[in-house]
Amino acid sequence: MSTITTINPYTQEELKTYKLIDDTVLQQKLELAEAQFKNWKSFEIKDRRKRLSKVAKLLIERKESYAKLMTEEMGKPISQGISEIEKCAWVCDFYAKNAEDFLADQLIETDAEESFISYDPLGVILAIMPWNYPFWQVMRFAAPTLMAGNTALLKHASSTTECALEIQKLFEDAGFPEGCFQTLLVSHEQIESVISNDIVKAVSLTGSEGAGRKVAEIAGKNLKKAVLELGGNNACIVLKDVDLDKYIATMAWARMQNAGQSCIAAKRFIVVEDIYDEFLSKFKAKVESYVVGNPMDDKTEIASMASVHLAEEVEAQVKKSLDLGAKVVLGNNREGALYHPTILENVTTEMPVFKEEVFGPVAAIIKVENEDEAYDMASNSRFGLGSMVFTKKVDKAKKRIGDIADGAFFINELVKSDPRLPFGGTKASGYGRELSKEGIMEFVNVKTVYSSK
């Protein structure tokens, strides 16, 4: 494959065709990133901050055009695209404000006259990013990575190629030197050689478990650090004392936002039988109320998935689950890339909608007898990205944080990423952390400095 053609998933219109770069041009880009690193790492933190703050400003100025681009390339409702860009500006402002404190030398009292920990940038860092949040996933990597003094390379999903090119232009327009951030239009085969190249010091991937395993294998073979944010099969525990009227909208949106195409979406709803019927009735009513349609319409809440192929994959997972005894409560209709919001009950642990990640607007409802069974069922997963519990007994829920080995535990709220808090998973959901201080520390050399007369 020497070209990429992007397609509007809602209209099926071909948008644009791009030519992949050859190995010679690729090597030149790698060498540029390496050369610029030697310059960029010497910039004062205040000079990096100035440029990142400019990125945040430009994001807000351009949010409508960037949102429209996301809508065209991957079908995101335009109102949600605007919110995504605003969140990108937030993460840039967060690291512009806090990076200096995060990276400050840490003095340690020892027998030395002076000893401290220094945080030095690693060099050229590669990011391999997905299509579902095409700006946010990149910006939450790029902001801390660049502020730490590294340079960055981006291999974006081919379906969001124009987004990738616009992100490079964004950094350049904000005054980042040429080579600080580059988008690579390359094939999967070429990206394997990039990971192996001595110029690249580490890699960050957000994507599927399969892609994560492949990247980890190559990085491990070359003794390079990797941060992997992979799939999720998040459980939403609904206990009998929950205030459904207060939280049903949050629980429904935890599944259906972005047409269910989110690793941190609530995918398995584990409901105590005392409240099961009331929950299902109110949950169905809320999901039925969503406006489904054209993603360019400001009122649309759920639109098409990112491709016909992806919608077909979800449809196949649902069909296999129905064959095993699941029951349709709502939906299970597909029109091209549009898969209508779907609710399934009578779900058991051997079904694809329970044990696999379903990357679309499908809610699997599981009835359990009591709270203990709910926590056990939530833990019954190969994934470990996040979990959520809805209950009035918050203090009691806090005592069970350790019962689920996930990277996040949310009480009376949907799982979401926040620049101020670390984000990442366990088990098949990957390893390493993004965001907060922990995120900027992933791609620095934590160096011991010891000085005596």
Side-chain angles (χ1 to χ4, degrees), residues 117-393:
I117 302 169
S118 175
Y119 302 100
D120 299 346
L122 293 180
V124 181
I125 313 297
L126 171 67
I128 304 172
M129 293 291 147
W131 46 264
N132 57 330
Y133 290 90
F135 274 77
W136 169 246
Q137 306 278 21
V138 176
M139 297 308 296
R140 74 182 190 189
F141 154 80
T145 299
L146 294 171
M147 280 301 294
N150 301 293
T151 54
L153 300 170
L154 170 64
K155 164 62 177 77
H156 216 327
S158 59
S159 59
T160 51
T161 296
E162 192 66 27
C163 288
L165 293 172
E166 282 296 319
I167 292 171
Q168 176 177 326
K169 184 176 183 298
L170 170 67
F171 281 105
E172 292 171 349
D173 290 348
F176 281 78
E178 182 184 10
C180 260
F181 184 100
Q182 298 179 81
T183 287
L184 305 178
L185 300 188
V186 293
S187 66
H188 290 297
E189 291 74 23
Q190 286 174 299
I191 209 64
E192 291 185 19
S193 70
V194 173
I195 299 171
S196 301
N197 194 295
D198 288 342
I199 289 174
V200 172
K201 304 306 182 198
V203 57
S204 177
L205 175 136
T206 298
S208 69
E209 179 188 349
R213 289 183 182 276
K214 184 65 175 178
V215 165
E217 178 183 356
I218 300 169
K221 191 180 299 183
N222 289 277
L223 296 179
K224 295 182 181 180
K225 185 171 187 178
V227 171
L228 304 178
E229 198 275 276
L230 309 179
N233 194 7
N234 289 6
C236 177
I237 297 173
V238 185
L239 298 181
K240 65 181 182 180
D241 66 327
V242 66
D243 185 340
L244 284 177
D245 291 332
K246 183 176 182 179
Y247 292 117
I248 200 69
T250 300
M251 288 186 271
W253 195 239
R255 183 59 189 115
M256 298 298 170
Q257 65 174 318
N258 203 38
Q261 299 167 118
S262 172
C263 56
I264 56 174
K267 299 183 173 79
R268 299 174 298 142
F269 291 81
I270 300 168
V271 186
V272 173
E273 61 184 1
D274 305 65
I275 203 171
Y276 181 86
D277 291 340
E278 183 185 359
F279 166 83
L280 189 58
S281 174
K282 291 182 176 180
F283 188 81
K284 179 184 177 185
K286 183 58 189 177
V287 173
E288 284 180 315
S289 75
Y290 289 136
V291 178
V292 180
N294 187 340
M296 283 294 185
D297 188 333
D298 288 339
K299 297 179 181 178
T300 295
E301 295 168 288
I302 299 177
S304 61
M305 294 181 60
S307 73
V308 173
H309 172 67
L310 291 166
E312 289 174 339
E313 284 186 350
V314 170
E315 185 178 44
Q317 289 173 302
V318 170
K319 183 181 184 303
K320 289 178 183 177
S321 298
L322 294 176
D323 290 343
L324 291 169
K327 177 183 175 183
V328 176
V329 176
L330 179 70
N332 191 30
N333 302 310
R334 183 178 66 83
E335 303 170 52
L338 176 60
Y339 193 85
H340 286 265
T342 297
I343 301 172
L344 302 180
E345 65 173 338
N346 293 350
V347 172
T348 58
T349 57
E350 74 273 12
M351 295 176 183
V353 295
F354 182 92
K355 64 183 182 179
E356 299 174 5
E357 179 177 36
V358 180
F359 217 64
V362 178
I365 316 296
I366 302 99
K367 183 192 294 187
V368 295
E369 291 185 3
N370 52 49
E371 179 178 330
D372 288 337
E373 186 182 358
Y375 279 97
D376 289 343
M377 190 69 74
S379 297
N380 184 3
S381 177
R382 296 174 52 255
F383 298 93
L385 194 52
S387 54
M388 56 206 86
V389 180
F390 286 84
T391 178
K392 290 179 181 177
K393 298 176 181 177

Side-chain angles (χ1 to χ4, degrees), residues 18 43 64 86 90 96 110 197 224 265-266 301-302 360 397 423 433:
Y18 306 83
F43 274 51
E64 285 85 5
E86 290 171 346
W90 181 21
T110 68
N197 194 295
K224 295 182 181 180
E301 295 168 288
I302 299 177
F423 180 86
R433 292 294 180 266

Side-chain angles (χ1 to χ4, degrees), residues 45-46 49 95-105 147:
I45 196 81
K46 64 179 180 181
R49 180 193 304 121
Y95 280 108
K97 178 181 178 181
N98 293 291
E100 185 170 11
D101 288 339
F102 292 160
L103 297 168
D105 293 344
M147 280 301 294

